[in-house]
Amino acid sequence: MAGLHSSEGRTCRPQGRDAIMLAVKLKSLFGVAEEADDWRERRAEPRSKVLLKGDAYPVEGYADLVVTNLSRTGLSGETDAPLDVDQSLLFSVAGNRFHMGTVRWVKGRRFGLDMEDALAILGPANDVDPGFLPTHQPRARRHDVELYGRIAIAPCSVRATIRDISQSGLCIDMPAPLVERQQVIVRLRDRPLILASVQWTGGGRAGIRAAERMETLRLVYAYE
């Protein structure tokens, strides 16, 4: 059976009872408290059978984030969440749209994050600081900003196989135990991260509802 992996790639233990109970009690920002009838209606949407590999990050909670500086290659910010150098970080500054970067340094509450095309994704147009001295080496221009968001506390990831897709959700195979109403972030190759909540589990599979409607063709053909 495949094991859980930390964001640094090390094997880690499955969530304990306390962590699972915490996940169950998490209040979703996209309405996991909606009635089950609504989910049944959305299940009637056309579904595409697929066989895609990805990673799933069970969310244990959230921490506040303030992004204070942006460049083409990354960002810096502040948070009370405990961070380690070289760990992967899942964060959002725009509702349910999450992004991933790699922590490069930590000083108290402040941290720096490596992230490809950070400016194109989060901020002003991509540009370069040419400098004024002959000895200056051109580098990515940095922009002072004040963007508020949240960090997903998801210390472990697990390999997942996506079995079918609709505009509203996924059916996935996962070796890790999940519980209904738990939130999870799914990462597929070259596609935006998917924030979702678990609707049902059974037989090593889970049905998850996406926070935002998905473009199924783009998800499928990203693997062609």
Side-chain angles (χ1 to χ4, degrees):
M1 178 181 294
L4 289 173
H5 299 279
S6 71
S7 56
E8 297 88 346
R10 298 190 302 269
T11 299
C12 62
R13 297 177 181 176
Q15 299 180 60
R17 179 178 177 84
D18 291 343
I20 291 177
M21 292 306 296
L22 173 62
V24 174
K25 295 177 181 178
L26 283 175
K27 180 179 180 181
S28 168
L29 297 183
F30 56 86
V32 296
E34 291 179 5
E35 296 295 331
D37 288 344
D38 177 63
W39 173 243
R40 293 191 188 97
E41 291 177 4
R42 296 177 70 177
R43 282 279 298 174
E45 294 178 348
R47 310 185 71 81
S48 299
K49 295 293 183 181
V50 296
L51 187 63
L52 308 178
K53 299 294 184 180
D55 296 288
Y57 296 80
V59 177
E60 296 181 0
Y62 295 97
D64 290 337
L65 163 70
V66 181
V67 177
T68 57
N69 195 277
L70 278 175
S71 77
R72 177 177 55 83
T73 57
L75 60 85
S76 59
E78 298 180 359
T79 183
D80 289 325
L83 301 178
D84 295 315
V85 173
D86 291 333
Q87 82 170 75
S88 295
L89 185 70
L90 301 165
F91 72 97
S92 172
V93 294
N96 296 320
R97 185 168 299 177
F98 275 77
H99 309 283
M100 176 178 284
T102 302
V103 177
R104 283 304 175 220
W105 56 266
V106 179
K107 294 181 180 179
R109 297 184 68 251
R110 299 175 58 240
F111 69 95
L113 193 74
D114 277 355
M115 180 181 174
E116 293 185 5
D117 297 326
L119 279 179
I121 296 172
L122 301 175
N126 185 0
D127 56 1
V128 174
D129 179 7
F132 298 100
L133 299 176
T135 57
H136 178 81
Q137 295 294 320
R139 64 177 183 177
R141 189 185 300 276
R142 305 196 68 84
H143 300 265
D144 291 330
V145 296
E146 189 174 6
L147 302 175
Y148 292 88
R150 54 180 173 153
I151 291 173
I153 309 301
C156 296
S157 67
V158 62
R159 293 294 292 171
T161 300
I162 292 81
R163 295 291 182 177
D164 68 45
I165 294 177
S166 74
Q167 288 187 320
S168 59
L170 311 167
C171 176
I172 61 177
D173 288 349
M174 287 186 64
L178 294 176
V179 293
E180 292 184 11
R181 305 300 187 187
Q182 182 177 3
Q183 291 189 340
V184 62
I185 295 175
V186 178
R187 181 187 184 192
L188 300 175
R189 188 184 68 196
D190 299 328
R191 303 309 310 149
L193 299 177
I194 301 169
L195 175 64
S197 63
V198 178
Q199 300 299 306
W200 58 265
T201 62
R205 292 187 176 183
I208 62 175
R209 185 184 68 184
E212 298 180 350
R213 297 180 73 82
M214 302 179 293
E215 297 183 36
T216 56
L217 290 180
R218 292 185 63 190
L219 286 175
V220 173
Y221 286 109
Y223 284 77
E224 293 297 326

